[in-house]
Amino acid sequence: MGQKPLVKPSRDILVAARFLSEGGIGGVPTETVYGLAADALNPSAVRKIFEAKSRPFIDPLIVHVSDMRMAEQVAEFTDEARLLASRFWPGPLTMVLPRKSIVPDIVTAGMDTVAVRMPSHPIMHELICAAHTPIAAPSANPFGYVSPTKAEHVIEQLGGRVDFVLDGGDCACGVESTIVLMTSNPKKLLRPGPVRACDIEEALSQKIDRSPKVNEAHPQAPGMLKSHYSPKSALRLFNDVSEIPSDFKGEIIFIKRPDEIKSNYYWLSQDGSPKEAMRSLFALLRALDKISKYGIYCQNPPPGDDWLALADRLGRARNKMSK
Ligand code: TXA
Ligand code: MG
């Protein structure tokens, strides 16, 4: 767990680590989406993240760690939390745990819990090791917009506001980490993601609350707000293509490659794989958002845990448009 072979950080990672140690901020790759990183223990550096993203200070950040020693420096771990860590870390699972006093208020929005995750992307891992500090990082998008899954997305939207962007290629998962609130009984799925709810339940041998009630005025995770992750174009959802008006001139996204293809058809996966669909979603929404004149229709994913994260992100993206 967290034990990685010793690798020499490349020069770029050392330069990025230096920026972070000196209070700078930068775009960093993770296996889920790109993050906007700062030294989590430096409040004035963390403040720059909020400013660059125009993110409200009430929205707490995830703290990224390289190993369990660092994780236990920032949060109180129960046996169950250690179990989930051993099963899913490094990887796309974030646990919300009681916070330790070393974590500045600005990171947790003054809450007594902190969100912690150990990413598996090798560049992010090396960066945290080289910076010798936990790294606070929200997704590297302006607040409320679709998360970036390529370095160029970060450069496009936040390039002028950061000290560096580390290019780690396309994100393997493509949607943000699964977030579980570990301090409640039952535990709550605050955000569905690449680690499925059923896998967490199996690891813990207990049910978790998959659709906790969201208080829109005081959300436990603002990522839970109905309209988050929104593109600018009107996005509507459909089950069957027959629901789309026949004169619709905009773009139509299918979950899997349709048998019959038209020039305005796009698809999230070749053969209906949920992992491939998650990986493609944000990049495709971004690309279509640039060209779309008449709005976008996207097919609803099938029911079930495999598709929960995709259904969740589509639901939120759609909500803003239907206001
Ligand atoms: O995959 C990810 O999680 C990416 C990469 C960069 O690690 N990060 C990410 O961060 O998606 P962000 O800030 O965009 O989303 C984190 C969510 C927010 O909705 C925030 O409200 C919630 O986590 N959160 C953070 N700390 C929390 C806490 N103590 N209690 C409840 N929710 C918390
Ligand atoms: Mg985000």
Side-chain angles (χ1 to χ4, degrees):
M1 186 168 43
Q3 295 294 318
K4 292 268 179 148
L6 268 183
V7 275
K8 258 203 182 132
S10 75
R11 191 180 158 274
D12 288 351
I13 294 175
L14 291 176
V15 170
R18 170 72 73 84
F19 271 119
L20 294 180
S21 305
E22 290 173 353
I25 59 171
V28 294
T30 83
E31 69 280 21
T32 56
V33 299
Y34 273 77
L36 182 55
D39 175 354
L41 306 184
N42 178 344
S44 62
V46 173
R47 172 175 287 271
K48 292 182 194 165
I49 294 181
F50 285 91
E51 288 164 357
K53 272 189 66 125
S54 309
R55 178 176 175 119
F57 286 103
I58 51 153
D59 192 355
L61 304 180
I62 296 175
V63 175
H64 298 71
V65 297
S66 55
D67 52 52
M68 278 311 287
R69 206 171 62 88
M70 198 182 264
E72 303 223 20
Q73 273 169 1
V74 296
E76 295 284 355
F77 277 70
T78 56
D79 286 347
E80 285 176 331
R82 285 196 195 94
L83 181 72
L84 290 189
S86 68
R87 173 83 173 71
F88 299 109
W89 282 359
L93 175 72
T94 296
M95 286 191 267
V96 176
L97 296 163
R99 142 205 192 178
K100 292 235 174 114
S101 58
I102 190 176
V103 183
D105 276 346
I106 189 168
V107 172
T108 65
M111 295 200 292
D112 52 12
T113 53
V114 61
V116 192
R117 142 167 145 78
M118 191 190 294
S120 64
H121 196 297
I123 292 182
M124 183 63 169
H125 176 80
E126 285 174 36
L127 178 65
I128 304 170
C129 294
H132 296 298
T133 182
I135 289 181
S139 50
N141 49 285
F143 186 69
Y145 196 69
V146 179
S147 295
T149 56
K150 296 171 188 284
E152 67 221 46
H153 296 160
V154 183
I155 293 167
E156 238 172 63
Q157 288 195 301
L158 296 175
R161 302 181 189 186
V162 297
D163 297 302
F164 66 88
V165 177
L166 272 177
D167 188 350
D170 292 2
C171 298
C173 299
V175 299
E176 305 86 347
S177 61
T178 306
I179 306 182
V180 188
L181 179 65
M182 297 296 288
T183 55
S184 68
N185 191 9
K187 297 174 182 40
K188 292 181 183 173
L189 182 67
L190 296 184
R191 183 173 70 185
V195 173
R196 298 175 308 173
C198 57
D199 297 329
I200 296 169
E201 290 181 334
E202 194 195 289
L204 290 175
S205 307
Q206 61 184 265
K207 291 278 172 209
I208 60 173
D209 181 357
R210 280 148 200 252
S211 42
K213 265 218 170 106
V214 181
N215 177 343
E216 286 270 328
H218 302 283
Q220 261 161 331
M224 296 168 84
L225 286 174
K226 273 198 194 140
S227 70
H228 210 66
Y229 314 109
S230 300
K232 294 191 190 77
S233 321
L235 178 74
R236 279 155 285 193
L237 304 182
F238 70 95
N239 292 311
D240 189 86
V241 72
S242 62
E243 295 160 30
I244 301 173
S246 55
D247 60 350
F248 178 67
K249 291 207 211 71
E251 292 73 28
I252 303 178
I253 305 174
F254 293 84
I255 297 294
K256 79 178 222 199
R257 188 182 199 275
D259 295 335
E260 189 202 331
I261 292 168
K262 298 192 181 161
S263 62
N264 61 340
Y265 281 13
Y266 299 83
W267 48 93
L268 296 175
S269 70
Q270 284 296 326
D271 56 4
S273 139
K275 284 196 175 141
E276 193 191 342
M278 276 195 273
R279 201 159 46 231
S280 323
L281 177 72
F282 287 155
L284 184 59
L285 284 180
R286 248 173 214 271
L288 295 186
D289 209 16
K290 282 191 184 152
I291 58 163
S292 185
K293 286 198 192 116
Y294 307 103
I296 304 166
Y297 265 100
C298 184
Q299 190 174 25
N300 276 313
D305 265 8
D306 281 359
W307 295 98
L308 205 56
L310 199 81
D312 171 80
R313 303 308 189 273
L314 280 173
R316 292 173 206 286
R318 188 264 319 262
N319 257 297
K320 181 169 167 188
M321 311 321 309
S322 55
K323 264 185 196 163

